[in-house]
Amino acid sequence: MAYLQYGRHILRRGSDQILPNPLFFAAQGVRYRKLEVILTTSIDKLGKAGETVKVKPGFFRNHLMPKLLAVPNIDKFAYLISEQRKIYQPKEVEEVKIVVPKTEEDRMKEYQTAARRLDSAKLVLRKLTTKDNEVREPVTKDEIVAEVARQLSVRIEPESLHLPTPLAAFGEFEVPLRLPRSIPLPDGKLQWALKLKIRRK
């Protein structure tokens, strides 16, 4: 005797007990199907006007249909869109991107901005301590360069830092910077310097 059983346990039982209703399996994929629609206007990443594309039902219902950006792929709409395209053929506007090469002045402004950012900011490093309240691993040039890139978003070379020996104590330091002489110094400054503070973790 075949009978219809509802619920999630329909698949767990043996096939000798029940015969599943084929309509149950036919309706499962309805909500995941995509609709074929005809675009009335060109949309980036979707297609050009007049093309038939597949979209999710919710996107069509909530976004495309209310703004009349697309219509369902039905014969009468396909005919109307094709006739409309014959009468009114909009000219495709091509976007032209102009690439302006950087001049020497632009580069100098970028360098000056980066130098001012390095000079005015304070870099904070957190280091582990030993039992004697000393820095476990000394701070090297490479570590300072990596932290400058991470915290200040400025890329510098290790040769730009004047650090003869690694810093092995907690406190505040000023690390002199070796920047090109073409970058003017601010008033009252003799050299560029990076303020650095090493703290306990």
Side-chain angles (χ1 to χ4, degrees), residues 9-10 19 80 89 95 102 108 140 154 157 176 185:
H9 302 292
I10 189 169
L19 291 171
L80 287 172
Q89 292 182 350
E95 293 183 12
K102 288 186 178 180
M108 283 306 297
T140 60
V154 176
E157 298 294 325
L185 284 165

Side-chain angles (χ1 to χ4, degrees), residues 148-166:
V148 165
R150 189 180 70 80
Q151 291 183 22
L152 306 178
S153 300
V154 176
R155 198 182 83 212
I156 60 172
E157 298 294 325
E159 294 81 31
S160 300
L161 294 171
H162 179 67
L163 190 67
T165 58

Side-chain angles (χ1 to χ4, degrees), residues 1-194:
M1 179 174 143
Y3 62 94
L4 185 65
Q5 182 176 358
Y6 297 101
R8 62 183 177 167
H9 302 292
I10 189 169
L11 299 174
R12 290 190 183 173
R13 301 209 176 161
S15 60
D16 56 337
Q17 292 180 356
I18 57 167
L19 291 171
N21 188 353
L23 290 176
F24 176 76
F25 295 106
Q28 271 187 332
V30 170
R31 85 188 267 208
Y32 300 108
R33 287 192 190 141
K34 290 190 173 184
L35 297 175
E36 284 193 2
V37 296
I38 303 169
L39 297 175
T40 56
T41 56
S42 297
I43 300 173
D44 291 341
K45 299 181 183 176
L46 203 55
K48 293 185 178 181
E51 288 183 358
T52 303
V53 295
K54 287 189 174 187
V55 294
K56 293 183 179 178
F59 181 66
F60 174 70
R61 181 183 64 241
N62 298 331
H63 180 67
L64 297 176
M65 189 65 181
K67 297 176 184 174
L68 296 176
L69 299 175
V71 292
N73 189 14
I74 304 174
D75 293 337
K76 65 178 182 179
F77 286 126
Y79 176 74
L80 287 172
I81 294 293
S82 65
E83 291 298 315
Q84 181 185 10
R85 296 291 290 171
K86 287 178 188 174
I87 296 170
Y88 172 70
Q89 292 182 350
K91 294 178 182 176
E92 296 291 331
V93 179
E94 293 183 11
E95 293 183 12
V96 179
K97 292 184 180 178
I98 301 172
V99 178
V100 179
K102 288 186 178 180
T103 62
E104 197 63 34
E105 293 177 6
D106 295 338
R107 288 194 186 114
M108 283 306 297
K109 284 181 183 177
E110 287 180 10
Y111 292 152
Q112 287 176 0
T113 306
R116 277 193 233 111
R117 188 181 297 170
L118 287 171
D119 192 54
S120 63
K122 182 186 276 187
L123 195 68
V124 179
L125 293 171
R126 293 183 176 265
K127 299 297 285 181
L128 294 173
T129 61
T130 61
K131 292 180 181 178
D132 303 330
N133 285 336
E134 294 178 1
V135 177
R136 188 179 291 178
E137 296 174 4
V139 178
T140 60
K141 280 186 183 182
D142 295 331
E143 197 171 350
I144 294 173
V145 167
E147 283 298 315
V148 165
R150 189 180 70 80
Q151 291 183 22
L152 306 178
S153 300
V154 176
R155 198 182 83 212
I156 60 172
E157 298 294 325
E159 294 81 31
S160 300
L161 294 171
H162 179 67
L163 190 67
T165 58
L167 302 172
F170 292 109
E172 294 189 12
F173 302 95
E174 278 199 8
V175 179
L177 294 170
R178 293 179 180 156
L179 298 179
R181 293 192 183 275
S182 57
I183 300 174
L185 284 165
D187 294 335
K189 287 259 185 179
L190 298 176
Q191 66 177 0
W192 294 103
L194 175 66

